[in-house]
Amino acid sequence: MGRVQLLNDAPLAPLTTFRLGGPATRLVTATTDDEVIAAVREAEVSGTPLLVIGGGSNLVIGDKGFEGTALRIATTGFTLDGTRLEVAAGEVWTDVVARTVEAGLAGVECLAGIPGSAGATPIQNVGAYGQDVSATISEVVAYDRRAEETVTLTNAECAFSYRNSLFKEHPERYVVLRVRFVLEDAGGMSAPIAYPETARALGVEAGDRVPLATARETVLSLRAGKGMVLDPEDHDTWSAGSFFTNPILTAEQYADFLARAADRLGPDVTPPAYPAGEGRTKTSAAWLIDKAGFTKGYGSGPARISTKHTLALTNRGEATTEDLLALAREVVAGVRDAFGITLVNEPVTVGVEL
């Protein structure tokens, strides 16, 4: 395995933002693409289960841990060529955003403060405050475990959709190595501001541009106010960010939801609704959770809803994964009973199910 770092019976909780989960049989830390591929191939040949870990910000690991090899991708690389950017999967995403802003390039500035690695962003099609990485990703270089070769996938081949991609649909097949972006040189200005909350905070209209640094700093402030920027001293940030995705409803489901909402909250209440493609409507998971009775700070145990944001489930310092899952199941059941909608968890679960 060359220069890679190997640890047996290795704790995984410190590698996740939840700080939860048992140990792995073996932990491999790879710092080059070749080391990543070698570790994957070794696991394939030996028939050893493989868990790939980036920044650990979208991961819920069971208390029993992982029986197999955990591969931590710690590769580095940031290359700019005009407006074209290539980053290694192991690069810290918040640093990538900061460096693009410093370079005067627009397209990911509203994705500031999102924890995790650059290689995870295409898997989840990471998005926030009106931007999604799929809008700027041109190609993803990945190791195809089935074909046993490195492949380059175009944006279209990545099959991006809301918080989804080819990589998420086939988690056992691809290991992301590098991500390529095409950004915009707008003379130091941001991409058009698309998210109403961001526009209000900036004091501009939707579609306006602002200085890149201002856009980034404003988003960081908004996220921090919701406990969505990592802070070791703040247990509201011991989370995976948004624990549930915003539901996308068919016309029939949406009509049923409106009727239930009116029955529960009164006919004058208008739930959040956003177009989500032909015949579909997206609503707010945070709104559903709050109106189902799970307000900020809900819970009395070591796992509770964030005091800053209803969409974040948090470890207050002494929680177990089972504590977290018990809270998540309570929220899912409560929202289903109240509104007939079943929330779907956003983090990947390992060795456990919601």
Side-chain angles (χ1 to χ4, degrees):
M1 294 293 292
R3 299 183 295 106
V4 298
Q5 179 184 345
L6 301 175
L7 291 174
N8 295 318
D9 194 28
L12 295 181
L15 302 182
T16 74
T17 53
F18 266 124
R19 295 166 173 80
L20 294 176
T25 306
R26 187 172 74 150
L27 173 65
V28 177
T29 299
T31 58
T32 68
D33 290 352
D34 286 344
E35 291 173 358
V36 172
I37 293 169
V40 173
R41 285 177 170 167
E42 182 181 275
E44 297 279 10
V45 169
S46 63
T48 303
L50 181 69
L51 170 64
V52 178
I53 300 177
S57 61
N58 200 45
L59 201 56
V60 177
I61 299 172
D63 293 317
K64 293 183 179 179
F66 182 71
E67 292 188 11
T69 295
L71 170 59
R72 177 172 172 262
I73 297 181
T75 53
T76 57
F78 181 101
T79 304
L80 265 178
D81 181 8
T83 59
R84 295 183 176 274
L85 169 66
E86 179 179 288
V87 293
E91 286 284 347
V92 176
W93 176 249
T94 54
D95 294 344
V96 171
V97 174
R99 292 176 71 176
T100 63
V101 169
E102 290 170 4
L105 297 176
V108 295
E109 61 278 3
C110 290
L111 302 179
I114 295 176
S117 64
T121 61
I123 297 172
Q124 188 74 4
N125 186 15
V126 163
Y129 295 99
Q131 291 183 343
D132 297 293
V133 290
S134 57
T136 51
I137 288 176
S138 59
E139 295 176 328
V140 174
V141 180
Y143 180 69
D144 184 338
R145 296 170 64 179
R146 183 185 302 172
E148 298 184 350
E149 64 181 7
T150 300
V151 296
T152 300
L153 301 169
T154 66
N155 181 290
E157 289 171 331
C158 293
F160 290 120
S161 59
Y162 173 64
R163 302 297 169 266
N164 203 6
S165 69
L166 175 74
F167 312 106
K168 190 172 180 180
E169 289 291 331
H170 302 281
E172 302 299 321
R173 180 168 180 180
Y174 297 101
V175 178
V176 175
L177 300 174
R178 297 186 170 266
V179 188
R180 294 171 180 159
F181 300 83
V182 176
L183 303 172
E184 179 188 8
D185 184 348
M189 302 297 280
S190 70
I193 300 299
Y195 198 68
E197 183 183 10
T198 315
R200 287 194 298 269
L202 288 163
V204 301
E205 297 294 323
D208 289 348
R209 295 177 185 263
V210 300
L212 277 164
T214 302
R216 175 177 174 269
E217 289 161 8
T218 299
V219 166
L220 285 172
S221 178
L222 289 171
R223 291 185 64 87
K226 300 174 183 178
M228 297 292 187
V229 177
L230 292 180
D231 179 353
E233 303 303 316
D234 182 0
H235 285 288
D236 277 329
T237 73
W238 290 32
S239 74
S242 300
F243 195 87
F244 300 104
T245 58
N246 290 322
I248 296 178
L249 310 175
T250 64
E252 182 179 356
Q253 290 170 331
Y254 183 57
D256 178 67
F257 165 48
L258 290 179
R260 286 173 177 261
D263 287 344
R264 182 180 179 89
L265 304 170
D268 296 332
V269 172
T270 303
Y274 312 95
E278 187 174 352
R280 294 180 179 271
T281 302
K282 180 168 67 175
T283 192
S284 165
W287 186 93
L288 292 168
I289 293 167
D290 180 72
K291 299 305 181 185
F294 303 99
T295 54
K296 295 175 184 177
Y298 177 88
S300 58
R304 303 177 201 169
I305 290 178
S306 166
T307 66
K308 300 182 180 74
H309 199 307
T310 53
L311 203 47
L313 307 188
T314 67
N315 170 11
R316 308 316 292 186
E318 301 295 332
T320 64
T321 301
E322 194 50 45
D323 292 328
L324 175 76
L325 294 176
L327 175 61
R329 290 169 186 141
E330 183 183 1
V331 171
V332 169
V335 169
R336 185 189 300 118
D337 290 345
F339 299 111
I341 294 174
T342 300
L343 294 176
V344 176
N345 52 291
E346 189 166 323
V348 175
T349 56
V350 177
V352 291
E353 291 183 2
L354 189 56

